[in-house]
Amino acid sequence: MASVACYARGHVIRPIQIFTLLAVAGTVAAVAALAGGAVPRAFLGMSAALALAASVNRRLTRRPRRPLVRRAAWIAAAAVMFAALPTDVPREGGVFAETYTTIDIATALIGHLVAGVIVMAAVAWYARGHVLRPIRIFTLLAVAGTVAAVAALAGSTVPRAVLGMSAALALAASVNRRLTRRPRRPLVRRAAWIAAAAVMFAALPGDVPRDGGVFAETYTTIDIATAVVAFGLVGIVMIRIVRGILADRDDRLLVGALGGLGVYVAMWADALPIHSAVWNYAFWILLGAAEARAYGNIRRP
C-alpha cells in the first residue's frame, strides 16, 4: 500500500491507471469465476464499483472517440462482475470448495440490494437533465426483454417480473408520440413494439413453478434495517415518478415505466422459484431512468 501510494502521489494519471487496471482485472476474474474458478466476492464487488465509477467519470485523461460505447463497456463489465457473485448456490470448481450457510446467502442478497440502490443512483445521475438518455434506457430494457422472452420460449429460465416490466415498456413505446426523430414507417414501428410485447406476454407462462415448496431465510437486524431503508427509498422514487406524470400527463413513456415498475414489484413478490438476484438490476436501472425522466418533467417550466 505504501509503495503504491508513493508511486501515485502527486500524479493525476497514475491513480486513474491503477483504478482502470483493477477494474479490468476484476472483469477477467469474473469471467474466470463464471467458468468455474474460485474468486472472492469482495474482489468482484470492489472491481464492479470501480467499473461503475469509470462509466460515470467525466474527468477523462483524453476525449474518447465513442463515449457511449466506452460507457456501455464499463457498465457491461460491472454487470459481468455482479453476475459472477456467488449468491444462491456455491460454485464447485478451483482448488477449494466452500460451504455457504443461510446467513451467508442472506448477506449476499442484502449486498445485491445495496448494489441495486447504487446502480439506481448512478443511472439517475447519468440520465438526469437529459431528454434522450432516459428514452434510450427505456428502449434498451424493452429490447433486452424481447431477447429474454425469445430465450424463455427456447427453454431458458427468465423471471416473469422482468418480462412483464419490459412488455409494459414496449407497449408504452408503441403509443409514444414524443419521438426523438420522425420514423420513416410509423405503422411498422408501432407494430414491431406491439409484436415485441406480445412475445414477452407469450413467454410469461414459462416461469410458472411446476413444483411447490417453501423458501426460508434468516435475516439479522442490520439486514432488516438495510432492506427497510432501500424499500423506503424505492417508495420515495415512486412518489417522485407519480409527480412527474402529474406534471406532464401526456408523457406516455413515463406512464409505461411506472406500470412496468408496478408489474415487476407485483410479480417479484409472488415469484416462485426464487431467481438469481442479478435479474433485479433491470428493475433498478429502470427506476433510476424513470426518476430522471420525472425530474425533467417536474423541473420543466
Side-chain angles (χ1 to χ4, degrees):
M1 177 195 71
S3 60
V4 173
C6 180
Y7 168 76
R9 181 174 296 174
H11 297 270
V12 177
I13 298 180
R14 288 181 180 178
I16 299 176
Q17 292 175 342
I18 295 173
F19 296 158
T20 304
L21 179 63
L22 288 174
V24 172
T27 307
V28 176
V31 174
L34 292 174
V39 180
R41 292 182 298 166
F43 178 70
L44 294 176
M46 180 188 72
S47 303
L50 290 174
L52 289 176
S55 68
V56 297
N57 179 36
R58 293 184 178 180
R59 297 180 180 179
L60 306 177
T61 56
R62 60 182 178 179
R63 185 176 182 180
R65 295 181 180 180
R66 298 179 179 179
L68 293 180
V69 174
R70 168 190 165 277
R71 183 172 290 109
W74 280 121
I75 294 175
V80 170
M81 286 181 268
F82 282 127
L85 290 174
T87 53
D88 299 327
V89 180
R91 294 181 177 86
E92 297 178 359
V95 179
F96 300 99
E98 298 183 10
T99 301
Y100 292 88
T101 63
T102 308
I103 297 178
D104 295 332
I105 297 175
T107 303
L109 293 177
I110 293 298
H112 275 290
L113 183 62
V114 175
V117 173
I118 295 174
V119 170
M120 180 199 69
V123 172
W125 178 83
Y126 165 75
R128 180 174 292 183
H130 298 270
V131 178
L132 298 181
R133 289 181 180 179
I135 300 176
R136 290 172 180 170
I137 296 174
F138 295 160
T139 304
L140 179 62
L141 289 174
V143 173
T146 306
V147 176
V150 174
L153 292 174
S156 301
T157 303
V158 180
R160 291 183 300 162
V162 174
L163 297 176
M165 182 185 72
S166 302
L169 291 175
L171 290 177
S174 68
V175 297
N176 179 37
R177 294 182 179 179
R178 298 180 179 177
L179 306 176
T180 56
R181 59 182 177 179
R182 186 176 182 180
R184 295 181 180 180
R185 298 177 180 179
L187 293 179
V188 175
R189 169 189 164 277
R190 181 173 291 108
W193 281 121
I194 294 175
V199 171
M200 286 182 267
F201 282 128
L204 285 178
D207 189 44
V208 177
R210 296 178 178 83
D211 298 323
V214 177
F215 183 82
E217 294 185 10
T218 302
Y219 293 94
T220 63
T221 305
I222 297 178
D223 296 335
I224 296 175
T226 304
V228 169
V229 171
F231 290 137
L233 180 61
V234 171
I236 293 173
V237 175
M238 287 286 197
I239 294 174
R240 190 176 184 87
I241 294 172
V242 173
R243 289 181 57 196
I245 294 174
L246 295 177
D248 187 356
R249 298 178 185 272
D250 293 331
D251 192 347
R252 300 182 180 182
L253 282 180
L254 191 58
V255 173
L258 180 62
L261 292 170
V263 169
Y264 188 95
V265 171
M267 290 188 173
W268 174 83
D270 192 37
L272 281 176
I274 302 298
H275 292 278
S276 174
V278 177
W279 288 103
N280 296 333
Y281 288 103
F283 169 81
W284 294 112
I285 292 174
L286 178 58
L287 190 65
E291 193 278 337
R293 179 84 172 184
Y295 174 82
N297 290 349
I298 297 172
R299 297 280 295 179
R300 187 179 304 164

